[in-house]
Amino acid sequence: MMPATGASVLLTDPAFLEELQQAAAESNKTPEQAQKYAQKCLREIEATPRESWLRPAARMARFIYTRSYEAELDINLEAVEELRELSRDHLLLFLWSHKSHMDSFVFLLSLYEQKFRPLPLIFAGINMNFLGFGALARRVGAIFLRRTFHEDPVYKLVFRRYIDYLISHKAPLSWSIEGTRSRTGKLSPPKLGILNWVVESCHREDMKDVLLVPVSIAFDRIAEIDDYVAIQTGQPKRKESLRWFIDYIFGMRQPYGKVYVRYARPLSPDEPVPQSRGMLGDEKDADRNRVANLALEVCTRIEQVTPIKSADVLTMVLLGANRRALTTAEIHRQASEIAALVVERDLPAASGFQLSHEAEVAAAILALKASGLVDVYDKSDTPVYYIPAEKYLAAAYYR
């Protein structure tokens, strides 16, 4: 079963047409112009998922990420089974961390390969609706959204009504809680836009059984790390296009390790959550504060399940060495202490995370050296390892 399609019926709804007249006046459009523009907006936004497209899309997704990543996704499967049960009588809204263009591929694949149905529709930036990719993404469930539309009353109306339509049909939805890819490795502050729209729609449609599902998507190493370093040094972001997409896929040649997908404990929009300090105001402010607190709780739960990896610990140790190269034994001494803290505090760790023995640390260092993050000076009795100055920003991403 696929989520609801056929949203064009909302364009003929009497209540919509009444609101459209006011939006037309605010936009200095005639009713006819507004109606035509509303049709254009809906065509631009609407996902048109087809069951028959899922298998070829899954094959393409697998082809893309397995060029550099291990074929088997590392997923907490017990959580997926719990979500499968919850989906029988709850509307699930998946909010995931965003570190790579791979995120949406592996997120949907992690559910598709576990036969989780229906797959959630996924909000995507309009920048990804380029020739050769947009049509495919739309048929797999992409909802393309403009980055800004606050001053476009007709577009806002169409988008709000489309969300209402999806919520009323109990279509599961998903999007990045950060709104864009993290260029620093840290979880970025949550963007509240889509969450506000969806929560308000749930209230309008009197949808009670709703759950927000935090999802952590993590990688041993990031395919776009060179792009992130370039952006942090002031270079412009590369524009997405078919040419860019092809270059991105076939530029993935190095082994980057595993991909980890972790589903955290869901929360209800009505569930009590910790309150952020300094949030006071009228009833409208209280609603906004409520959504902000929900978003922060989602981010907290994402952090709580994001696995710590060997590269994270080793880059922390080497960057903290004050530009001094370290022997394997010196790296092991510090890394093993951090690894012991991970175990002691029961922090989430990647499958196979082991740094307690010097041989395990040596193997992890060699993997970082192969990726170019770490270099070695081996013209002395004991080799020493360091992060080259031009790799500081890249290493800091993992730290």
Side-chain angles (χ1 to χ4, degrees):
M1 184 180 73
M2 298 297 290
T5 55
S8 58
V9 296
L10 68 83
L11 298 178
T12 58
D13 179 70
F16 170 82
L17 293 173
E18 185 176 337
E19 287 188 81
L20 185 61
Q21 288 189 359
Q22 182 177 346
E26 294 173 6
S27 306
N28 295 318
K29 288 180 168 53
T30 66
E32 292 76 17
Q33 289 173 329
Q35 180 72 26
K36 188 173 181 180
Y37 181 55
Q39 292 172 350
K40 176 186 175 184
C41 291
L42 184 59
R43 283 196 303 271
E44 181 182 295
I45 294 169
E46 185 183 12
T48 56
R50 299 286 184 272
E51 188 76 35
S52 59
W53 283 76
L54 292 182
R55 184 184 294 272
R59 285 177 177 168
M60 186 187 81
R62 179 165 283 277
F63 166 77
I64 292 172
Y65 87 81
T66 56
R67 289 183 62 79
S68 283
Y69 293 101
E70 292 183 18
E72 186 175 355
L73 299 174
D74 193 314
I75 311 166
N76 55 339
L77 296 175
E78 70 285 352
V80 176
E81 292 308 311
E82 290 174 11
L83 291 171
R84 196 192 311 277
E85 289 300 314
L86 288 170
S87 69
R88 299 182 193 280
D89 49 16
H90 289 79
L91 170 61
L92 300 185
L93 307 173
F94 297 84
L95 296 91
W96 35 272
S97 59
H98 198 6
K99 289 184 168 59
S100 169
H101 284 299
M102 293 289 102
D103 292 330
S104 55
F105 291 110
V106 298
F107 163 67
L108 289 175
L109 204 58
S110 72
L111 294 176
Y112 173 79
E113 293 192 337
Q114 301 307 314
K115 297 181 171 49
F116 189 100
R117 300 291 188 277
L119 287 180
L121 302 179
I122 190 164
F123 288 99
I126 194 68
N127 58 304
M128 297 302 293
N129 187 21
F130 53 81
L131 179 67
F133 180 77
L136 170 62
R138 202 182 295 278
R139 285 169 174 78
V140 180
I143 301 168
F144 287 113
L145 183 62
R146 296 179 189 177
R147 290 298 185 187
T148 58
F149 50 86
H150 294 297
E151 298 181 3
D152 191 335
V154 175
Y155 186 95
K156 284 171 64 177
L157 172 61
V158 172
F159 183 61
R160 173 166 60 81
R161 285 286 184 165
Y162 180 57
I163 298 300
D164 288 350
Y165 176 83
L166 295 176
I167 295 298
S168 68
H169 285 76
K170 296 185 177 181
L173 303 173
S174 65
W175 66 95
S176 159
I177 187 65
E178 300 166 274
T180 187
R181 289 172 296 151
S182 168
R183 270 71 168 178
T184 64
K186 297 180 180 179
L187 192 65
S188 302
K191 296 288 178 63
L192 305 181
I194 296 177
L195 185 57
N196 264 315
W197 285 87
V198 172
V199 169
E200 288 174 2
S201 180
C202 288
H203 288 157
R204 282 193 299 270
E205 298 298 322
D206 197 29
M207 187 66 62
K208 301 293 186 186
D209 295 321
V210 179
L211 289 174
L212 308 180
V213 183
V215 186
S216 168
I217 304 172
F219 304 80
D220 277 332
R221 284 180 290 283
I222 297 290
E224 298 100 320
I225 195 69
D226 290 340
D227 283 349
Y228 294 166
V229 169
I231 290 169
Q232 288 190 64
T233 56
Q235 297 181 44
K237 174 179 174 289
R238 289 195 293 171
K239 186 177 179 181
E240 290 82 0
S241 65
L242 180 59
R243 178 75 259 173
W244 163 86
F245 188 53
I246 293 171
D247 289 344
Y248 176 75
I249 294 171
F250 289 97
M252 292 175 62
R253 298 188 184 94
Q254 296 182 10
Y256 290 133
K258 281 187 175 184
V259 183
Y260 306 86
V261 184
R262 296 289 186 269
Y263 292 89
R265 182 165 52 90
L267 67 151
S268 164
D270 299 321
E271 181 178 325
V273 294
Q275 300 295 301
S276 299
R277 288 180 291 179
M279 288 189 170
L280 297 171
D282 57 21
E283 186 175 341
K284 192 172 183 181
D285 288 331
D287 290 339
R288 286 198 208 96
N289 293 345
R290 172 71 188 161
V291 170
N293 289 323
L294 280 173
L296 289 171
E297 180 63 17
V298 167
C299 289
T300 297
R301 295 191 187 190
I302 288 174
E303 294 273 16
Q304 289 171 344
V305 298
T306 298
I308 297 167
K309 302 169 291 297
S310 298
D312 306 338
V313 174
L314 296 182
T315 51
M316 179 187 292
V317 169
L318 287 167
L319 285 170
N322 261 346
R323 304 192 179 195
R324 187 170 67 87
L326 302 177
T327 66
T328 302
E330 289 173 319
I331 297 170
H332 168 250
R333 190 177 306 121
Q334 296 181 57
S336 61
E337 289 177 359
I338 297 171
L341 280 174
V342 170
V343 174
E344 179 186 322
R345 300 186 182 185
D346 196 26
L347 300 177
S351 307
F353 175 79
Q354 291 289 341
L355 295 173
S356 55
H357 300 294
E358 189 170 328
E360 293 163 345
V361 171
I365 293 170
L366 289 176
L368 287 180
K369 183 179 180 300
S371 72
L373 271 180
V374 169
D375 210 340
V376 60
Y377 180 80
D378 55 6
K379 292 179 172 55
S380 59
D381 292 341
T382 304
V384 288
Y385 298 88
Y386 63 97
I387 294 174
E390 68 273 13
K391 294 293 183 178
Y392 284 169
L393 283 175
Y397 186 97
Y398 300 103
R399 174 202 61 190

